[in-house]
Amino acid sequence: MTDTIGGIRIEMTDAPDQPAPSEDLLALYRGFERELLVPLWAEIGELMPTTPTSRALPHRWEWSALHQLAEQAGDLVPVGRGGERRAIALANPGLGGRPFATPTLWAAIQYLGAGEEAPEHRHTQNAFRFVVEGQGVWTVVGDDPVAMRRGDFLPQAGWNFHAHFNPGDAPMAWIDGLDIPYAHFVESTFFEFGRDRVEDRSTPERSKSERLWAHPGLAPVAAADSPGTTPLLAYRWEHTDAALAAQLELEAQGEAHTVEPGHAAVRYLHPQTGGDVLPTIRAEMHRVRRGGETAPRRETGSSVWQVFDGSGRVRVGDHEWSVNRGDLFVVPSWQPVSIVSEASADDSDSGALDLFRFSDAPIHLAMHQFRSETEDDKR
Ligand code: 1HN
């Protein structure tokens, strides 16, 4: 309930024992305003909702529209020092036009034409690349060129110098995920330019990081600890694909290692700690068998999903969309998400619906604020 005295809004709230509007009350509220004070009883409903309520809205972006605009940007807008990247961010319709996919996460499509280079720099924000189509760009992290190909997940921990170059004759697009909105909100951001041109244009199949770290269950004894951020710079699709396939094969043989029937999932992990790959970002790949449907699940914190393969329908809160390869959608905090794997209109895909997902779960876990729930948990 709101009342106004002399132009000042007085929140009466639902709290018991609120005084009737009076001249004295008006003087009190004017005093609050003059001294830049706000009484809790006027705000408690918004500050302490009984469950998380997000300003972010569920939303889907279609890859075809995104890609077409990125291509246009490739024709019209150069990439170089100053602008740094030809990255075009998803702006959640609930977040006032800022380049924020969710209150904590940035997601963008990045486009690099044949022969182009995105100059070296470093920032404290944590980042990753995920490749939904194409290949041919190397991201150089420090002095380690790392190939980018379809299905690869490439984490990029904060404060490492990095540049990208495209030595081939075809453009390439991918998605970037970063914790920019979070870092912006807590005001912890540092940024530095690196070399204007990275001289080493070698294009190794396997990066040094993979040669050292991409051996299951093995870590170099001499390696220093890198708490919170993975030293492995590329998680290759062949491994992710095999891990998901094995879960569904074992399920078909009567063993339950899936999240739920018909729904396999893996999480990208730090090889030294077994924890999440980045201090602020969790990343996973999900596979829902054709005809499968996931139970509604919700959790604290927000996530961004991208369809990697297949098609289907996705429900987030009271929004529902059909999704195809490359489409991105946002799940705000505590909104239930469920996924149905369906044949596409032209039935051209292989069967299962594969989805890449990243979230801010590590922040919520570190603060002991993480909760998740399915319909089953409530029974
Ligand atoms: C950045 O460095 C990259 O390295 C992508 O590819 C997106 C968005 C804001 C600030 C830095 C990249 C970015 C970014």
Side-chain angles (χ1 to χ4, degrees):
M1 196 178 19
T2 306
D3 213 336
T4 309
I5 310 179
I8 296 182
R9 246 163 37 98
I10 296 186
E11 300 287 341
M12 305 299 286
T13 80
D14 293 329
D17 302 327
Q18 290 298 300
S22 68
E23 283 304 315
D24 286 349
L25 197 60
L26 174 60
L28 175 66
Y29 276 75
R30 287 212 169 113
F32 290 155
E33 195 175 57
R34 188 180 62 239
E35 299 298 329
L36 304 179
L37 301 170
V38 176
L40 174 63
W41 61 84
E43 300 283 331
I44 191 162
E46 196 205 329
L47 292 180
M48 299 203 176
T50 50
T51 60
T53 49
S54 184
R55 286 173 301 127
L57 295 171
H59 194 78
R60 176 204 55 178
W61 286 260
E62 288 179 298
W63 182 248
S64 55
L66 242 65
H67 193 270
Q68 200 210 317
L69 288 165
E71 230 173 343
Q72 254 175 281
D75 290 339
L76 295 171
V77 184
V79 61
R81 187 56 87 207
E84 300 297 298
R85 299 293 183 263
R86 193 186 289 111
I88 307 158
L90 309 184
N92 189 288
L95 298 177
R98 308 298 317 268
F100 300 162
T102 81
T104 51
L105 299 171
W106 160 291
I109 179 172
Q110 183 166 164
Y111 188 91
L112 201 59
E116 286 187 326
E117 170 170 354
E120 191 180 55
H121 66 206
R122 66 176 173 178
H123 38 72
T124 43
Q125 291 95 334
N126 295 288
F128 70 81
R129 335 268 155 231
F130 178 73
V131 185
V132 72
E133 63 187 17
Q135 56 182 21
V137 168
W138 271 257
T139 179
V140 188
V141 182
D143 64 352
D144 196 8
V146 188
M148 296 172 62
R149 305 182 202 101
R150 171 164 156 81
D152 295 344
F153 169 71
L154 306 118
Q156 166 72 83
W159 213 235
N160 287 294
F161 278 113
H162 57 286
H164 318 308
F165 71 99
N166 183 348
D169 50 17
M172 182 178 167
W174 63 88
I175 66 161
D176 298 306
L178 292 94
D179 55 12
I180 292 176
Y182 162 77
H184 182 74
F185 184 71
V186 300
E187 301 177 337
S188 60
T189 299
F190 293 87
F191 177 90
E192 249 175 39
F193 292 138
R195 297 164 289 181
D196 282 337
R197 192 185 143 82
V198 173
E199 293 301 331
D200 178 8
R201 291 308 176 103
S202 59
T203 55
E205 269 294 295
R206 249 166 109 68
S207 60
K208 281 188 269 187
S209 129
E210 290 165 274
R211 289 161 61 202
L212 287 169
W213 290 101
H215 309 284
L218 298 171
V221 170
D225 285 345
S226 66
T229 53
T230 176
L232 180 55
L233 299 178
Y235 293 65
R236 299 293 178 194
W237 172 243
E238 61 190 278
H239 304 295
T240 312
D241 184 36
L244 291 168
Q247 287 183 22
L248 291 175
E249 282 159 21
L250 286 166
E251 181 178 274
Q253 292 162 20
E255 288 189 38
H257 302 280
T258 49
V259 176
E260 58 196 325
H263 175 192
V266 289
R267 186 169 295 158
Y268 299 97
L269 294 181
H270 186 307
Q272 278 179 323
T273 66
D276 284 298
V277 276
L278 294 167
T280 49
I281 296 176
R282 164 168 288 181
E284 296 171 346
M285 183 68 83
H286 293 249
R287 175 167 294 172
V288 185
R289 181 179 279 148
R290 166 73 57 84
E293 177 163 359
T294 71
R297 174 178 292 275
R298 60 182 172 183
E299 63 182 47
T300 49
S302 50
S303 35
V304 180
W305 296 66
Q306 184 177 35
V307 175
F308 178 67
D309 204 9
S311 49
R313 298 192 65 75
V314 171
R315 207 173 309 125
V316 180
D318 52 13
H319 290 61
E320 188 173 338
W321 317 282
S322 64
V323 290
N324 295 296
R325 184 189 277 201
D327 292 354
L328 291 129
F329 58 92
V330 159
V331 181
S333 188
W334 211 239
Q335 295 271 319
V337 54
S338 58
I339 294 157
V340 185
S341 169
E342 289 177 343
S344 62
D346 60 5
D347 199 19
S348 59
D349 54 71
S350 58
L353 175 58
D354 286 350
L355 304 113
F356 172 76
R357 171 193 188 215
F358 68 103
S359 80
D360 60 4
I363 301 175
H364 297 262
L365 285 159
M367 298 299 128
H368 303 277
Q369 307 270 320
F370 185 80
R371 290 197 201 187
S372 73
E373 187 175 271
T374 60
E375 289 299 313
D376 286 348
D377 300 333
K378 285 191 270 176
R379 284 198 199 105

